[in-house]
Amino acid sequence: MITHYFNSITEANQFLDLPKPEHPLFFVHVDTRTSDEAQTTTLDEPIALSNNFYSIGFKNVLAGEMQYGRTKYDLTNGTMIFTAPRQQVIASGMMTVATNASIFIHEDFIRGHEIQRRIKEYHFFDYATNEALHLTPKEERLILTLFESVETEYHNNPDQFSKEILLSYVDTILNHSQRFYQRQFLHRQEAVGSVVSQFTQILAIHFESGAFELEGTPRVEEIAQEMSMSSRYLSDALKAESGKTAIENIHLYLMDEAKNLLLEPQMTVAETAYKLGFETPQYFSRLFKKKVGLSPTAYQAQHSLN
């Protein structure tokens, strides 16, 4: 099985034969050709895909299966699929036909915006707890209308209102999806949890309780014990699901929270470092620059201009 990891939306679009994005951090594409007009796309060999952005997709799937973490999506016509950054999707035997629609949103496009907090509350981005969303014909028409509204705004000449309007449409899509999932859950059983999601959830619980600041960042061995696994098994499972080691997953979580903390008013680099469990601000700054490409102070200065 071939694995592809896309660092940017542009890379993903090139591979998926989609148009070049007009914005490097946001993309939408809607193909509303009829089944008779559109070519059927078939994927014979299993393929694993992972990327660095959120994806909201609508697919007309005729056959095949998709696996997200350890969960196999039950795909049928009129399927919506939501994926989060750095989580692997495996597809095999896929056959799709128009209508298809996709929205890709890089984390940096929404960083510091209210929707960043809200998007983490939508559990359907977590493949550990949900199936793909199967729409009724009425729901399908509504969702496609919203996708088309996003696409229309996307192709307008950008101005000071463009980003807010785009994200308001996206938020409306997500709100409706939340509603449709509640309808679906009356008939469908929630999927089984994944190692990546459990691992991240444990980190979030430790961080939100203040344990990072008091006790330092949890060690892999401690998290593995909480998950009733050996540290070696946990690392192998994380590598298989996300393509990254346990330490790399911890660093990703730390850097994501660091970016949020650094954007808070009056937050210093030292305060951020200690809140995240680093022994010294210097070590935090070195790791942040290595992972993000900017020093913490440069990151704060860059975003203060936006």
Side-chain angles (χ1 to χ4, degrees), residues 69-197:
R70 294 179 173 180
T71 300
K72 288 184 179 179
Y73 278 142
D74 174 19
L75 299 179
T76 60
N77 278 1
T79 297
M80 286 193 75
I81 301 170
F82 306 83
T83 63
R86 296 175 294 276
Q87 293 180 326
Q88 191 177 78
V89 176
I90 301 172
S92 61
M94 293 288 292
M95 183 182 293
T96 64
V97 69
T99 303
N100 292 302
S102 298
I103 294 175
F104 300 153
I105 309 170
H106 195 280
E107 292 172 292
D108 287 343
F109 189 75
I110 59 173
R111 197 171 298 284
H113 192 279
E114 172 65 14
I115 199 172
Q116 181 191 21
R117 179 190 63 79
R118 289 174 55 78
I119 205 168
K120 292 182 178 181
E121 295 175 354
Y122 292 116
H123 293 169
F124 45 79
F125 279 102
D126 184 352
Y127 61 83
T129 58
N130 295 284
E131 301 171 323
L133 175 59
H134 306 288
L135 302 178
T136 66
K138 182 179 179 180
E139 292 168 353
E140 183 176 322
R141 288 192 295 271
L142 173 59
I143 288 296
L144 286 174
T145 297
L146 289 169
F147 266 94
E148 290 167 358
S149 297
V150 176
E151 187 177 46
T152 298
E153 180 61 33
Y154 175 74
H155 291 302
N156 279 343
N157 292 327
D159 57 31
Q160 66 191 87
F161 304 104
S162 299
K163 183 173 180 177
E164 286 297 328
I165 292 173
L166 282 172
L167 291 181
S168 69
Y169 281 131
V170 169
D171 201 31
T172 301
I173 290 174
L174 297 178
N175 275 318
H176 279 294
S177 300
Q178 183 87 304
R179 169 186 285 177
F180 299 155
Y181 259 119
Q182 296 309 308
R183 180 266 307 159
Q184 179 168 295
F185 288 158
L186 295 175
H187 309 289
R188 294 178 178 271
Q189 184 179 7
E190 290 188 342
V192 178
S194 80
V195 174
V196 173
S197 294

Side-chain angles (χ1 to χ4, degrees), residues 208-229:
E208 290 166 9
S209 70
F212 278 34
E213 190 170 9
L214 295 174
E215 304 167 7
T217 307
R219 294 181 297 113
V220 175
E221 293 80 2
E222 294 171 344
I223 302 173
Q225 187 175 13
E226 289 189 49
M227 297 174 67
S228 301
M229 299 178 184

Side-chain angles (χ1 to χ4, degrees), residues 262 268-269 284-285 288 294-304:
L262 289 168
T268 67
V269 173
F284 163 69
S285 296
F288 188 93
L294 294 171
S295 69
T297 51
Y299 181 84
Q300 287 177 312
Q302 182 186 73
H303 283 267
S304 69

Side-chain angles (χ1 to χ4, degrees), residues 230-246:
S230 69
S231 57
R232 179 62 182 269
Y233 181 88
L234 174 60
S235 294
D236 290 345
L238 288 169
K239 186 73 173 179
E241 287 190 13
S242 68
K244 300 184 183 299
T245 66

